[in-house]
Amino acid sequence: MKHNPQLDAMRAVAAFAIIAHHYLLFPAGWIGVQFFFVLSGFLISGIIIKGKEQYKKAGIVAFFKNFYQRRILRLFPLYYGYVFILGLFYIFVKKPEAFNIEWPWILTYSLNFRWLFHNYSFHMVYGHLWSLSAEWQFYLVWPLFLWYLPKKYTNRWLLCLIPIAMLIRIAVYLVCNHLNYLVGFNGSAESEALAPYVLPFSHLDAFVFGTLLCNSKFRKAISRPVVVYSCIAITVTAGFTLVWLLPSYPIASLGWPSNLPLAYQWVWGYSLLNITSAAIIAALVEGKGARFFEFTNITGLQYLGKISYGIYVYHPLLIFAALNYRDKLPSFPGKSIVELIFIVMITSVIAHFSYKYWEKPFLKKSKKQTAAPEDLIPEPKPDLKPEMIH
């Protein structure tokens, strides 16, 4: 079955928003990560739900052996290839400076937990790997949960998990603020709200909304233009209301700064972003994108979404280099925008060659797995390719 190229286009948009955020030009760009979480929940949950039917005779061991082989071949080569590059940089030029301390957390896909400690040494070139860590942790737990969840109780359980996710964010917030070795202890509002931002179970509702999209009735209901536009309008209105009420929220953040530190936004804000992301995905899947999403039909943008995993992984190296040399270049109006465009272009070129010559051979091995293919979802419409790319 064919994949949905419009979702690829949205992947590209999310990746470029994240780059703009990291280049300090679009404070709200981190929302792209939230979109990826919901999309990942949709695609992976579809594989699990379909697999339960296909592997009734073969059993759970056969399914999960195939599932994790394919996930590993999709995700590990680029991730560990990038880590290897960072290791070479450290060996020859001693940068990033704290790589010799943080590498165990990076190698074990646990950097998001490391973020919470006072003695964590952040560096731009590996800091973004926290989201890939959170996703891999999701892959280790969520498939088993769905496999053993009785079909007739699936929707009931999923709906219950949405408020539970909010309670979990409150719990991890309080824990982070009451342990003296964590950043939230006597920290700023941003530090206090860090735990709900980086911990995987804090984003439970992102994966829940993604899973709900596998249900055709839910997907069709949420895909209606009136619902999609209402979700977007509420998200935008809520953001600008906070900009108006909170002096520390700059207008450039659109009321959605990273960590969502104030007005208990770290409790309810993620859920609002998640349902909005789910509505957009549903609209594209059901072919109800309306005029607002016409740009997702651009072929070039769709290809950039196809390689957006590489774009996400490699872009901090380009940003780090640009920030170190930007002061040596003459200043002119729009300089930052021009620099951002060059960063996006060069990152895309690197991601293209990485995909073609490094990732693709592993993808071919993945497709040779003898068990049922992963490019099926529970519903026959639309056709999707379940490669989660960051």
Side-chain angles (χ1 to χ4, degrees), residues 53 56 62 86 98 106 110 117 139 142 145 167 176 184 189 208 266 278 282 310 322 343 346 359-360:
E53 298 297 323
K56 282 183 177 179
L86 295 184
I106 298 172
S110 55
F117 291 86
Y139 292 153
W142 191 249
F145 171 76
L167 294 176
C176 189
V208 166
W266 47 270
I343 290 171
I346 297 172
E359 299 166 62
K360 210 167 185 179

Side-chain angles (χ1 to χ4, degrees), residues 95-382:
K95 292 181 181 294
E97 292 81 357
F99 186 78
N100 63 321
I101 299 174
E102 307 300 344
W103 69 265
W105 299 85
I106 298 172
L107 283 181
T108 56
Y109 271 94
S110 55
L111 189 66
N112 54 330
F113 284 90
R114 177 61 175 156
W115 266 52
L116 298 179
F117 291 86
H118 273 301
N119 61 348
Y120 168 58
S121 300
F122 173 85
H123 198 287
M124 176 184 297
V125 299
Y126 58 69
H128 67 306
L129 299 179
W130 77 267
S131 65
L132 301 181
S133 300
E135 278 204 16
W136 181 249
Q137 292 153 14
F138 155 70
Y139 292 153
L140 294 178
V141 177
W142 191 249
L144 284 171
F145 171 76
L146 281 185
W147 185 276
Y148 286 110
L149 185 64
K151 186 176 181 179
K152 63 179 180 179
Y153 298 126
T154 297
N155 292 335
R156 188 183 305 174
W157 269 93
L158 292 176
L159 292 173
C160 290
L161 289 177
I162 295 173
I164 289 175
M166 297 183 186
L167 294 176
I168 290 174
R169 287 195 282 271
I170 294 173
V172 298
Y173 176 92
L174 294 174
V175 170
C176 189
N177 295 342
H178 286 83
L179 297 178
N180 59 11
Y181 52 86
L182 300 183
V183 297
F185 189 81
N186 293 330
S188 63
E190 289 76 13
S191 297
E192 291 175 348
L194 181 62
Y197 179 52
V198 300
L199 293 180
F201 22 85
S202 298
H203 295 290
L204 176 62
D205 50 342
F207 303 118
V208 166
F209 277 114
T211 306
L212 286 170
L213 289 175
C214 296
N215 181 285
S216 61
K217 291 183 179 179
F218 177 85
R219 191 172 64 240
K220 289 177 181 178
I222 201 174
S223 70
R224 292 181 297 166
V226 63
V227 177
V228 178
Y229 293 146
S230 295
C231 288
I232 295 173
I234 292 171
T235 301
V236 172
T237 301
F240 280 112
T241 300
L242 291 178
V243 170
W244 178 55
L245 294 174
L246 303 173
S248 62
Y249 272 27
I251 192 169
S253 72
L254 307 181
W256 294 95
S258 59
N259 295 26
L260 306 180
L262 301 177
Y264 299 101
Q265 197 177 11
W266 47 270
V267 177
W268 56 267
Y270 294 110
S271 296
L272 180 55
L273 293 175
N274 294 334
I275 194 172
T276 301
S277 297
I280 293 171
I281 293 169
L284 296 177
V285 166
E286 292 294 322
K288 298 179 181 179
R291 294 181 180 180
F292 188 81
F293 299 104
E294 279 297 315
F295 66 89
T296 60
N297 290 310
I298 299 174
T299 304
L301 193 62
Q302 292 172 355
Y303 178 74
L304 291 173
K306 186 177 180 180
I307 62 172
S308 59
Y309 181 25
I311 290 174
Y312 180 82
V313 169
Y314 292 120
H315 80 270
L317 284 177
L318 279 298
I319 291 179
F320 181 69
L323 292 176
N324 277 275
Y325 288 98
R326 68 186 308 186
D327 293 336
K328 299 179 182 179
L329 299 175
S331 181
F332 56 88
K335 177 184 176 184
S336 296
I337 300 297
V338 173
E339 291 171 345
L340 178 62
I341 292 173
F342 272 102
I343 290 171
V344 169
M345 291 174 60
I346 297 172
T347 304
S348 298
V349 170
I350 294 173
H352 163 73
F353 285 106
S354 173
Y355 179 80
K356 186 174 182 180
Y357 296 108
W358 177 244
E359 299 166 62
K360 210 167 185 179
F362 292 98
L363 290 176
K364 290 180 179 179
K365 291 182 181 180
S366 173
K367 292 178 181 178
K368 290 180 181 178
Q369 297 296 326
T370 57
E374 283 188 8
D375 56 357
L376 299 174
I377 60 172
E379 302 298 329
K381 178 184 180 183

